[in-house]
C-alpha cells in the first residue's frame, strides 16, 4: 500500500465516525496543489546532476499552509502528498491557525558536501519561491534538513521578495530562529509520553523505553525521558540498534554520535541488535522516531510494548494498526505525538512577524500547555466515542478543518 492510501484509510475511518458527507470528504482528502520541479545543480566535481523536488500544498481552510522539507532518497510525490495531508490534521489537532503542506527532494544528503547542499537548496527555492511565503506556505525542517538549510531558504527567498524571516521556521536562533525549536519535536514526544503514562496511572521512574532513530527527534526524546527517570534501554539509527538492559547512558551515546559523523556505528557500551529486533523488544514504551512504514502487518503481532508513541510520521501501516488495536496496544498517533515541532514553529513565525521573541522557558511552558490541551481533547474524545486515540485525533483534526471549510464558503 502506498503512503497516501494509508493516510486515506485513517481519514475514512474518522470521517465515518463524523458522518462526513461524501463531497466534503473529496474536498478534504485531495491536495490543493502539487508541484514537482527539476533541480539541475553543478556538483563539486564539475558534473551536472538533476534532482527532483516536490512541494504539496494540501489544505488552507484554517490558515497558511505549514510543513517540513525532507531530503531523503525515498522521497517521492506519493510520500510528500501523504505527509502534507498529515500536516493539515496535525496543525488542526493542536489548534494552530495553519493548513498543511510538505516538500522534499530525493537525495542522499550524507553524500553531499555542504556547498552542494546549499546549491541544491537555493536552486529549489528558485523554483518554488512563487508558491511559498509567510501568508501562504511556510516550510520547516524534517528528515535530512536543519537550521542551516532553513537559513539558506530565508536568504534565497529574500532575493525575490525582500526581507521576510517568517517565510520559513526552524532557523538558527541567532538568525531569526527561536530557542527551543530544535528540541521541540522530541521534547513534545517526551511530554506526551509522560501524559499518557500519567493517564494510565503509571510512573515514569523505571519505565523501559526503546527509541528507533537517533536524529533530531530521537535524541531529544531520549534526553527528555532520561531526565524524567525513564530507562532508555535501546536506541538505533541507520547503522543498527543498540541495547542495554540497565539503560543506555544517553549523554554518552549522544557524545559518541556527535563525534562520529552523527552515527552510532561502533558505539561500545551496548549490545548490538537490528532495527527490526528493537521494535520487538520487551519494553513498556516503543517510540519509532526515524522513517515511516516500520510497523507492518508482518511485525505488529510481535510487538511486546503495550504503548507506542509515534515520534516519526506514519510509522504504522493501517493493517498493523488494526492488529495493535485488537491486541489492546495503545498508540499515540503521529499527528499528536510529534506536533511539538510545528507548535514551536508557530511561535517562531508569530514572533518573526512581531520582531519580538520569547526566552527558552516561556517557549517550553507554552509548548507544554498547547500539547496538554490537545492531548486531553483527544483522550476525552477517544473515551467518549470508544475509538482509538488515532481515530479520535483524526476526528478532532478533520472536524475542525471541515468546519473552517464550510464557514468560509466553498463556492
Ligand atoms: P533526522 O534526519 O534528524 O534523524 C533521522 C534518524 O533516523 C537518524 O538517526 C537516522 O540514522 C535514522 N534512520 C534513517 N533511516 C533509518 C532506517 N531505515 N532505520 C533506522 N533508522 C533510520 O530526522 P528527524 O527530524 O529526527 O525525523 C525523524 C522522524 O520524525 C521523521 O519521520 C520525521 O518526519 C518526523 N518528524 C520530525 C520533525 C522535526 O521537527 N524534525 C517533526 C515532526 C515529525
Amino acid at each position: 500500500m502506498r503512503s497516501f492510501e494509508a493516510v486515506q484509510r485513517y481519514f475514512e475511518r474518522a470521517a465515518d465516525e463524523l458522518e462526513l458527507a461524501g463531497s466534503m470528504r473529496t474536498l478534504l482528502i485531495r491536495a490543493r496543489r502539487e508541484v514537482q520541479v527539476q533541480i539541475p545543480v553543478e556538483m563539486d566535481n564539475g558534473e551536472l546532476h538533476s534532482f527532483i523536488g516536490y512541494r504539496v500544498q494540501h489544505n488552507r481552510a484554517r490558515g497558511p499552509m505549514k510543513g517540513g522539507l525532507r531530503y531523503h532518497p525515498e522521497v517521492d510525490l506519493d510520500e510528500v502528498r501523504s505527509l502534507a495531508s498529515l500536516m493539515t490534521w496535525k496543525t488542526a489537532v493542536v489548534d494552530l491557525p495553519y493548513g498543511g503542506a510538505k516538500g522534499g527532494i530525493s537525495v542522499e544528503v550524507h553524500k553531499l558536501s555542504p556547498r552542494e547542499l546549499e546549491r541544491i537548496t537555493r536552486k529549489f527555492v528558485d523554483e518554488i519561491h512563487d508558491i511559498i511565503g509567510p501568508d501562504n506556505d511556510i516550510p520547516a525542517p524534517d528528515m535530512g534538513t536543519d537550521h542551516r538549510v532553513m537559513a539558506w531558504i530565508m536568504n534565497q527567498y529574500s532575493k525575490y521578495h525582500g526581507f521576510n524571516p517568517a517565510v520559513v521556521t526552524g532557523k538558527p536562533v541567532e538568525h531569526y530562529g527561536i530557542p527551543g525549536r530544535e528540541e521541540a519535536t522530541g521534547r513534545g514526544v517526551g511530554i506526551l509520553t509522560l501524559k499518557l503514562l500519567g493517564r494510565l496511572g503509571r510512573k515514569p521512574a523505571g519505565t523501559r523505553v526503546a527509541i528507533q532513530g537517533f536524529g533530531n527527534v530521537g535524541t531529544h526524546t531520549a534526553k527528555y525521558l532520561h531526565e524524567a527517570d525513564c530507562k532508555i534501554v535501546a536506541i538505533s539509527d541507520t547503522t543498527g540498534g543498540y541495547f542495554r538492559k540497565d539503560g543506555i547512558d544517553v549523554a554518552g551515546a549522544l557524545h559518541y554520535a556527535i563525534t562520529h559523523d552523527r552515527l552510532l556505528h561502533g558505539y561500545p557500551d551496548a549490545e548490538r541488535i537490528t532495527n527490526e529486533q528493537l521494535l520487538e523488544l520487551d519494553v513498556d514504551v516503543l517510540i519509532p522516531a526515524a522513517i515511516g512504514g516500520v510497523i507492518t502487518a508482518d511485525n505488529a503481532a510481535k510487538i511486546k510494548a503495550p504503548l507506542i508513541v509515534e515520534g516519526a510520521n506514519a510509522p504504522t501501516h493501517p493493517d498493523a494498526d488494526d492488529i495493535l488495536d485488537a491486541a489492546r496496544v495503545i498508540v499515540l498517533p503521529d499527528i499528536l505525538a510529534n506536533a511539538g515541532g510545528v507548535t514551536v514553529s508557530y511561535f517562531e513565525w508569530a514572533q518573526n512577524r512581531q520582531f519580538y521573541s520569547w526566552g527558552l522557558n516561556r517557549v517550553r511552558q507554552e509548548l507544554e500547555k498547547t500539547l496538554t490541551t490537545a492531548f486531553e481533547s483527544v483522550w476525552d474524545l477517544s473515551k467518549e466515542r470508544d475509538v482509538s486515540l488515532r481515530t479520535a485525533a483524526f476526528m478532532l483534526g478533520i472536524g475542525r478543518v471541515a468546519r473552517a471549510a464550510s464557514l468560509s464558503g466553498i463556492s
Side-chain angles (χ1 to χ4, degrees), residues 70 72 83 90 102 110 141-145 181-182 185 212-218 236-239 262-263 275 289-292 294 311-314 338-339 341-342:
R70 177 177 287 196
H72 191 274
L83 294 169
K90 188 181 300 182
K102 199 82 179 189
H110 292 296
D142 192 76
M143 264 171 85
T145 57
R181 171 60 184 90
E182 188 112 359
T185 307
Q212 181 178 67
F214 207 56
N216 175 287
V217 181
S236 81
D237 63 12
T238 43
T239 70
R262 302 195 169 267
L263 292 172
N275 264 295
I291 50 165
V294 292
N313 279 315
N338 68 33
V342 71

Side-chain angles (χ1 to χ4, degrees), residues 40-94:
V41 171
E42 187 181 332
M43 308 305 279
D44 289 349
N45 64 7
E47 281 177 18
L48 183 73
H49 195 102
S50 251
F51 299 90
I52 301 289
Y54 308 91
R55 188 74 188 167
V56 173
Q57 298 177 330
H58 178 252
N59 186 289
R60 57 180 307 160
R62 288 172 45 85
M65 295 163 287
K66 186 90 188 78
L69 269 187
R70 177 177 287 196
Y71 289 2
H72 191 274
E74 280 165 30
V75 165
D76 63 16
L77 184 58
D78 181 76
E79 183 187 70
V80 177
R81 183 184 285 146
S82 75
L83 294 169
S85 69
L86 284 178
M87 285 307 299
T88 299
W89 317 131
K90 188 181 300 182
T91 51
V93 167
V94 282

Side-chain angles (χ1 to χ4, degrees), residues 365-382:
Q365 276 166 14
E366 298 288 337
L367 170 66
E368 177 142 9
K369 211 158 81 184
T370 303
L371 293 181
T372 302
T373 305
F375 175 83
E376 298 298 340
S377 305
V378 170
W379 180 271
D380 291 349
L381 187 59
S382 110

